[in-house]
């Protein structure tokens, strides 16, 4: 459900996965489905609810909903076209609040939270009994990471709409994330009492049992989900997490891959799969898995860090540094990026620059690192490299000096030998007697 992690050196990698895991919140909360009929929450159509909706608006709503259903089946949404269709419905008759609600859902699917909230509030203003809009306001708060606000909204919705199953299902999800498995299961059961096929409630129960490591109960719930929807991606996802909890990584990998086959956009499954590949240092597979995560969230810093680490492991330091450049544009004060840059520069045999980044890491951590942290050993190693280079340089210079001295001495010796030879030659010539004239 979350993706975040520090990647700091091979020997600390397992620890760092745990550190990264909870640093970034991205909740995969279920958005209540769009309205597919112009119905009131109790199942009455709009005219029976005292609203005489124009025929034109009803027909336009039906056309828009057909387009929405086709997009959902193909998992390919033309959001702009859908929004135009539902806005045309409202132009024909602004009282058809199902169109307003669906605009909110479409905005929520595109992470336009403020716009979605505005639509849902407009729905509730016009029709206070529209429970799905109230539930989605709670989901928006959940997705923003404000669980207290979400709980308050959803509890109010549960109180106002006693027959509504979804508010209780979403409350169960909050309790599960808070680690309160007992309340999560209780709230999920309340939801299922009202709607035995509520998938959000089943999901919350699986998450609750996962949090307390009751894997056998999780599997029982998963079997119930299969009765509702045979190939729901969350079923294989939570079964995969249970396998991970039991140390069955190979089984978990198969289940997570199955999740992505069923729903290619399942962010959490992509994250877990990437973590497995990174944990086993399968750099090539990790690159593929992380690319999938980044297709869903291109600005996910932990995933970018993981991709950079994979490139470094694959012997592509320049690509790794390019990724770190991208991260710095998003957030220039990431300690793990500073550390990892130092590691890459160490591999590139640039110790001075590596030390600079290691020291930057210490500064960004603000003293929150233990004395035996690898950053200190890395600095010492780089200093040793610099010292060795300096010693080698001096030795090389000394060797050159001695070589030059030998050359100079050899040259002097040869010159001396030449002068001596010349002197001997002159002396020999002086001792030669000229021929007699007699």
């Amino acid at each position: 459900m979350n993706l975040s992690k520090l990647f700091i050196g091979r020997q600390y990698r397992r620890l760092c996965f745990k550190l990264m895991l909870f640093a970034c919140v991205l909740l995969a909360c279920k958005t209540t489905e769009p309205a597919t009929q112009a119905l009131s929450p109790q199942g009455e159509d709009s005219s029976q609810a005292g609203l005489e909706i124009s025929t034109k608006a009803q027909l336009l709503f039906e056309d828009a909903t057909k387009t929405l259903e086709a997009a959902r089946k193909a998992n390919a949404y033309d959001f702009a076209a859908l929004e135009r269709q539902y806005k045309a419905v409202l132009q024909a008759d602004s009282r058809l609040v199902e169109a307003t609600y669906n605009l909110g859902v479409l905005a929520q699917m595109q992470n336009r939270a403020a716009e979605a909230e505005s639509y849902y509030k407009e729905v509730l203003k016009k029709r206070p009994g529209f429970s799905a809009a109230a539930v989605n306001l709670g989901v928006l708060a959940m997705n923003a990471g404000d669980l207290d606000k979400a709980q308050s909204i959803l509890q109010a919705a549960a109180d106002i709409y006693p027959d509504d199953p979804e508010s209780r299902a979403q409350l169960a999800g909050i309790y599960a994330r808070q680690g309160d498995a007992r309340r999560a299961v209780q709230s999920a059961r309340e939801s299922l009492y009202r709607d035995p096929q509520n998938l959000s409630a089943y999901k919350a129960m699986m998450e609750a049992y996962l949090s307390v490591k009751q894997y056998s109960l999780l599997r029982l719930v998963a079997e119930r989900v299969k009765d509702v929807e045979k190939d729901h991606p969350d079923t294989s996802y939570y079964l995969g997490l249970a396998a991970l909890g039991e140390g069955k990584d190979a089984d978990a990998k198969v289940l997570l891959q199955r999740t992505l086959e069923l729903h290619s956009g399942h962010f959490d499954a992509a994250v877990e799969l990437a973590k497995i590949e990174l944990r086993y240092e399968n750099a090539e597979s990790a690159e593929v898995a992380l690319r999938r995560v980044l297709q869903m969230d291109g600005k996910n810093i932990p995933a970018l860090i993981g991709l950079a680490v994979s490139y470094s492991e694959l012997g592509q330091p320049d690509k790794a540094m390019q990724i770190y450049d991208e991260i710095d544009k998003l957030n220039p004060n990431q300690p793990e990026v500073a550390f990892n840059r130092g590691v890459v520069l160490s591999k590139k045999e640039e110790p001075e620059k590596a030390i600079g980044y290691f020291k930057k890491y210490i500064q960004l951590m603000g003293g929150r690192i233990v004395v035996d942290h690898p950053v200190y050993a890395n600095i010492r190693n780089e200093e040793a490299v610099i010292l060795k280079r300096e010693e080698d340089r001096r030795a090389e210079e000394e060797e050159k000096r001695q070589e030059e001295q030998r050359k100079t001495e050899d040259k002097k010796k040869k010159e001396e030998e030449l002068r001596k030879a010349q002197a001997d030659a002159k002396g020999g010539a002086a001792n030669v007697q000229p021929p007699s004239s007699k």
Side-chain angles (χ1 to χ4, degrees):
M1 196 168 293
N2 307 318
L3 175 67
S4 196
K5 178 190 269 270
L6 298 176
F7 294 87
I8 305 177
R10 184 183 298 272
Q11 67 271 38
Y12 269 59
R13 190 158 295 155
R14 288 181 181 270
L15 168 63
C16 295
F17 271 105
K18 295 177 184 177
L19 292 175
M20 176 181 163
L21 185 58
F22 300 103
C24 172
V25 176
L26 197 158
L27 298 177
C29 297
K30 179 181 181 292
T31 300
T32 305
E33 291 292 307
T36 54
Q37 301 180 41
L39 300 177
S40 71
Q42 292 76 28
E44 304 169 330
D45 64 31
S46 297
S47 61
Q48 290 173 330
L51 298 175
E52 293 295 334
I53 303 299
S54 72
T55 301
K56 179 180 179 182
Q58 290 275 11
L59 292 173
L60 288 171
F61 184 85
E62 289 175 10
D63 289 342
T65 301
K66 288 177 182 178
T67 304
L68 176 63
E69 285 299 317
R72 182 158 41 197
K73 289 178 181 178
N75 194 27
Y77 294 88
D78 185 342
F79 289 109
L82 283 165
E83 287 171 350
R84 283 196 297 271
Q85 284 187 276
Y86 282 115
K87 286 178 180 178
V89 173
L90 294 174
Q91 286 179 348
D93 195 327
S94 62
R95 296 170 298 171
L96 210 165
V97 295
E98 286 79 5
T100 305
Y101 170 79
N102 282 3
L103 284 169
V105 173
L106 292 171
Q108 189 168 350
M109 291 172 71
Q110 298 173 80
N111 296 318
R112 300 192 328 238
E115 187 177 344
E117 181 178 0
S118 177
Y119 280 125
Y120 295 144
K121 287 181 176 179
E122 183 179 347
V123 169
L124 292 170
K125 183 178 180 180
K126 292 181 177 179
R127 195 188 299 174
F130 205 118
S131 60
V135 170
N136 277 9
L137 286 173
V139 172
L140 286 173
M142 258 193 287
N143 287 341
D146 192 341
L147 295 186
D148 290 338
K149 179 180 178 181
Q151 184 174 341
S152 176
I153 292 172
L154 291 167
Q155 187 60 63
D159 294 339
I160 294 170
Y161 313 110
D163 295 328
D164 177 63
E166 191 63 30
S167 56
R168 289 162 176 81
Q170 295 296 342
L171 275 172
I174 291 178
Y175 296 142
R177 292 182 187 93
Q178 293 174 335
D180 192 340
R182 184 190 62 80
R183 292 182 73 187
V185 172
Q186 179 182 345
S187 188
R189 285 174 176 166
E190 291 176 1
S191 173
L192 292 169
Y193 176 78
R194 291 162 173 80
D195 177 11
Q197 295 189 329
N198 190 290
L199 291 171
S200 297
Y202 283 121
K203 177 179 177 180
M205 289 183 80
M206 288 191 288
E207 190 168 347
Y209 288 134
L210 179 72
S211 68
V212 292
K213 300 182 179 180
Q214 294 185 9
Y215 304 126
S216 59
L217 290 175
L218 186 154
R219 290 189 176 92
L220 285 174
V221 176
E223 289 302 316
R224 293 182 186 177
V225 175
K226 290 178 183 178
D227 292 336
V228 178
E229 185 173 329
K230 182 179 178 181
D231 289 320
H232 194 282
D234 278 339
T235 306
S236 53
Y237 170 69
Y238 279 102
L239 289 173
L241 294 186
L244 278 176
E246 294 173 326
K248 301 175 182 177
D249 289 4
D251 292 343
K253 187 173 177 179
V254 171
L255 287 162
L256 292 169
Q257 288 172 334
R258 175 59 177 161
T259 303
L260 290 167
E261 289 172 5
L262 294 170
H263 178 26
S264 61
H266 199 294
F267 182 80
D268 297 337
V271 168
E272 294 297 333
L273 191 59
K275 284 159 56 181
I276 292 174
E277 301 294 0
L278 285 165
R279 184 162 61 250
Y280 286 96
E281 299 181 4
N282 300 325
E284 292 182 0
S285 299
E287 179 190 355
V288 174
L290 288 162
R291 285 289 185 191
R292 184 187 291 116
V293 173
L294 290 167
Q295 284 177 353
M296 304 178 208
D297 180 6
K299 295 182 179 180
N300 190 291
I301 289 177
L304 287 167
I305 292 173
L307 183 61
V309 170
S310 297
Y311 281 137
S312 181
E313 294 294 325
L314 290 168
Q316 301 179 49
D318 291 337
K319 279 191 174 183
M321 295 298 272
Q322 288 174 3
I323 298 295
Y324 291 134
D325 288 341
E326 291 181 29
I327 297 171
D328 281 341
K329 291 176 182 177
L330 297 172
N331 187 342
N333 296 314
Q334 294 286 318
E336 58 271 29
V337 172
F339 186 100
N340 288 353
R341 279 187 183 274
V343 172
V344 173
L345 290 166
S346 177
K347 290 181 179 180
K348 293 182 71 175
E349 299 183 351
E350 299 181 30
E352 292 87 354
K353 291 182 179 179
I355 289 174
Y357 278 109
F358 289 139
K359 289 183 176 179
K360 180 180 179 181
Y361 168 76
I362 294 172
Q363 179 185 3
L364 290 173
M365 290 297 292
R368 294 179 286 110
I369 49 178
V370 294
V371 293
D372 61 344
H373 192 282
V375 69
Y376 297 114
N378 285 1
I379 290 174
R380 290 193 295 272
N381 289 340
E382 298 308 306
E383 288 174 342
V385 170
I386 293 172
L387 180 61
K388 181 66 167 55
R389 284 185 178 179
E390 183 62 22
E391 291 174 349
D392 290 344
R393 184 187 64 79
R394 290 176 181 174
E396 185 179 353
E397 288 179 352
E398 178 61 22
E399 186 177 347
K400 286 181 179 179
R401 188 189 66 77
Q402 292 179 1
E403 180 64 25
E404 289 297 325
Q405 185 175 352
R406 283 195 298 271
K407 288 180 180 180
T408 300
E409 291 174 352
D410 288 344
K411 182 178 180 181
K412 287 181 179 179
K413 185 177 179 181
K414 288 178 180 179
E415 289 176 349
E416 183 62 31
E417 290 174 351
L418 178 60
R419 284 194 297 269
K420 185 177 179 182
Q422 290 175 341
D424 290 345
K426 289 181 180 179
N431 292 330
V432 175
Q433 297 295 322
S436 176
S437 58
K438 293 182 179 180

